[in-house]
Amino acid sequence: MASLPSVVVGNTVKLDRQFKKLTPSSLSLQNRNFNPKESDKSALDPFNLDFREALTLIQEGNTKVESSFYVPILQECIEKNSVSDVQALHAHVIKRGSYQDLFLMTFLVNVYAKCGTMESAQKVFDNLPARNVVTWTSLMSGYVYNSHPHLAISVFKEMLEIGGYPTNFTLGIILNACSSLCDIELGKHIHAYIIKYGIEYDASIGNALCSFYSKCGSLDMAFKAFSRIGEKNVISWTAIISACGDNGDSAMGLDMFVQMLSEGVDPNEFTVTSVLSLCCIIQALGFGTQVHSLSLKLGYGSQIPVTNSIMYLYLKNGCINEAKKLFDGMNTISLVTWNAMIAGHSQMMDLGQDGISTHFSGIEALKIFQRMKRSGVKPDLYTFSSILTVCSNLVALEQGEQFHAQTIKTGFLSDVVVGTALVNMYNKCGSIVRASRAFVEMSARTLISWTSMITAFTQHGLCQQALQLFEDMRLVGVRPNKITFVGVLSACSQAGMVDEALAYFELMKNEYKINPVMDHYACLIDMFVRLGQIEQAFEFIKKMDFMPSEFIWSILIAGCRSHGKLELGFYAAEQLLDLKPKDPETYFLLLNMYFSASRWKDVSRVRKLMKDEKIGKLKDWSWISIRNKVFSFNPDYQLSQEGELKKLLEDLQERARILGYQLQANLEVIDDEEETTSLPAHHSEKLAVAYGLLNTSNGRQIRVVKSISMCRDCHNFIKFISVLTSRTIIVRDSKRLHKFFNGNCSCGDFGSLL
DNA sequence: CTAGGGTTAG
């Protein structure tokens, strides 16, 4: 680092005015601080003129004006983002000789920067008669503002070389540059410099350090930087609150918010939006609602970002009506508002709601997209990634293809998130070929892109490709996370590669220091179960340092049922019942197990528990999307009115029987005390598949999405259909993707627990 | 004259 002082100070013309930022309305008001010479006053008082008039006067007049005259007009140029007006004023400044005024010229650097024309800002800077630390800092700030952090840093180094001495402002700006570059090295260097030279640790330094460490992923250091600030201002608090959110500790962020209020600091609109986004992450609707009313009290109700984030919070929590009310009440609907609406609808599925509301909110999201386009708003990358996700959820391939085309036309495909969303869309719509093409064509890939593609191969039963891609990913130096390992372990599980699975499990723990989560154990247990090694699976459950979840016991029970291990199955069922499962499907798994073992007492015990826990019937819906239209089916579908559909199903059933298909009965509907065994051969996906067969041309893929898991019988039957019709049939149920082709399914036949 | 914070994505 450069040695201290030797500040370059130009012959700064001191002006005795205070230049506060002027709003357009304040321009027309008399400013008490403005006190021009009498001679200028009558003709050229910018505070008595409107913008255009002032500009015209300046351009026509030959009078020399004071430097301060330009400032409010230039301010307005920033607001209007009018570079040409800035250039006109600049020309005038040169002609009238005010270019000697370092104060004014520094301001001009900032004006050009704020208008996004850094070339001009740099040119003004280069021609300055003298430079001081403020002019240097202005240039750096311009480069950071225009997303050229590396250029800001080279200006910084240049300044140090000629002996310039950075101030708190300078260091704050450079720390920001480090944040956006994730340049940990330089950031720490700056921090050391601050300590070494005893730079006063004020809020500007503390806030910048706090954000810097947060963006580098060290919440600990962010907290240290924060706590050293003597007088914490709103920005300090907002910085630490967002730091918590960015580093995965949203609950802590809410704590900090409470602490901030208790210390008597009022949040501003930025704080409110940050807090609301934390509420979104951890689904803290109640807290968010309180924050919302607080923000109304503080007068931020008309702030668009505040409304956007509360609307998004409502949507993510399924409060569609509240969200709609806010949306309808907004007088300015920004692109972000549309995006929040679309993203909110596309994400309602994360609520643990059934697949039916997910489906309808997806359809709603498509409608919102159309409304947005009709209103003349152009979609951006956020819109496209959300809408592609909607297509994934709906298994709406044709729609997805159209959006793909639009991303190409608009150039947003080059965005890595859009590209990743596209990979996911093709995968979830059952097209692994196009998914991998989209992946290969990406110009850049994030960890999430790699993970998506690995998971895609796994879901399509292409385990070798999944593992190969994982190795490629490591070769190019991308560090896997726990989700990547779920994909890897699940690939091994499907392929029955026990040794590899265990080796990857160790690799994850030892080399990547990732603590296993339930999903990893579930993969391994699933693997043993698939291989029929039920005892090993059970041993593994006993050995793991986790309380087995509902899902783990379900896998074991399904395995016990398939492999006739009744006693262990009953034991597991007791464990499962103790957990008071949440997922309705789990109860049906138990019912079916007891039913097939003729344990009637247990059947009624489970039924009673279901009543106590208010578990309703399973809502069996399937949808098929053909040429942008969605058709819905459930078991109540009136087949008699559709002679063709009924005939087709009967015909397929008969031909399947000849090939060896046998109907497996399941306990289906629990209607109070009444129970029926299912004979209707017509779960919703059979109807949807048959409808697809009738309404698409021969050889085309059939793509169906279903609200709950497939039952074994349907799973088996559709394998036969794929043989009888030579079609590829994709059914995405609530748990996984099934791609049926030539009598096989990509899930490796252990995909249906029910 | 130079800053610091925010909404929507996989």
Side-chain angles (χ1 to χ4, degrees), chain A residues 567-617:
Chain A
E567 285 314 309
L568 186 52
F570 296 145
Y571 171 80
E574 292 307 318
Q575 307 302 312
L576 181 51
L577 283 169
D578 276 350
L579 293 176
K580 294 230 160 89
K582 299 274 170 298
D583 186 350
E585 291 185 27
T586 305
Y587 288 96
F588 285 87
L589 171 71
L590 287 167
L591 280 175
N592 278 329
M593 183 190 72
Y594 287 131
F595 173 74
S596 50
S598 307
R599 309 250 297 201
W600 309 117
K601 251 167 59 194
D602 289 316
V603 168
S604 51
R605 184 163 63 107
V606 173
R607 249 186 22 218
K608 185 176 174 310
L609 187 62
M610 288 175 73
K611 227 174 167 180
D612 295 346
E613 298 289 314
K614 297 194 171 52
I615 304 290
K617 292 194 246 185

Side-chain angles (χ1 to χ4, degrees), chain A residues 78-144:
Chain A
I78 298 177
E79 269 150 36
K80 292 188 154 64
N81 197 25
S82 167
V83 184
S84 53
D85 289 335
V86 178
Q87 286 164 338
L89 285 162
H90 186 186
H92 193 268
V93 167
I94 293 170
K95 220 159 75 187
R96 297 285 149 249
S98 293
Y99 61 88
Q100 300 259 1
D101 182 342
L102 189 58
F103 180 102
L104 179 62
M105 296 314 275
T106 306
F107 190 63
L108 209 50
V109 171
N110 289 307
V111 174
Y112 274 125
K114 287 273 153 58
C115 292
T117 45
M118 278 315 287
E119 301 79 8
S120 309
Q122 177 77 56
K123 228 179 255 166
V124 174
F125 178 86
D126 290 340
N127 293 322
L128 285 177
R131 289 163 189 179
N132 62 24
V133 66
V134 178
T135 55
W136 282 103
T137 307
S138 296
L139 188 66
M140 293 175 215
S141 137
Y143 279 123
V144 173

Side-chain angles (χ1 to χ4, degrees), chain A residues 89 93-94 164 214 335 377 460 668:
Chain A
L89 285 162
V93 167
I94 293 170
S214 163
L335 174 59
V377 175
H460 276 80
E668 276 303 313

